[in-house]
Amino acid sequence: MTDFIRTHTDAPTPFTIRPETWMADAACATTDPDMFFPAPGDAGMAARRICATCDVTDQCLEYAIRNNETHGIYGGLPARTRQKLTRKDKP
């Protein structure tokens, strides 16, 4: 259980994040995470510029789709664009 990020109760919760190895290499790892969750109407261009310099955008995008992330910028794409991608993949 040492791979869990601990909560204030120091016990895993359904929302506990298990970091993946690629996350340490992400360009966003040392930036303000709020930038990747822009306010409604904000296209998140600052976050997208950071993603454009990142070596792990494919892994990040796959992570967001696999975990059904419905908010934020992952792999350089906002949630609405990711949803369109997953709809295209379904028969």
Side-chain angles (χ1 to χ4, degrees):
M1 292 191 110
T2 59
D3 62 339
F4 285 104
I5 294 175
R6 298 297 182 171
T7 64
H8 68 283
T9 60
D10 203 33
T13 70
F15 303 106
T16 302
I17 298 170
R18 291 185 181 150
E20 298 194 17
T21 56
W22 60 265
M23 289 178 174
D25 298 326
C28 63
T30 58
T31 61
D32 179 6
D34 289 340
M35 182 185 311
F36 294 87
F37 296 90
D42 180 348
M45 293 310 293
R48 292 181 192 199
R49 281 191 289 277
I50 291 170
C51 292
T53 69
C54 189
D55 293 331
V56 294
T57 53
D58 291 341
Q59 295 94 322
C60 183
L61 180 58
E62 189 272 329
Y63 171 87
I65 291 170
R66 179 173 20 102
N67 290 291
N68 196 30
E69 292 289 347
T70 58
H71 301 288
I73 310 269
Y74 286 85
L77 299 178
R80 185 171 288 166
T81 304
R82 291 193 310 271
Q83 290 168 352
K84 289 177 185 176
L85 285 175
T86 56
R87 277 188 237 131
K88 287 180 185 178
D89 290 343
K90 292 181 182 178

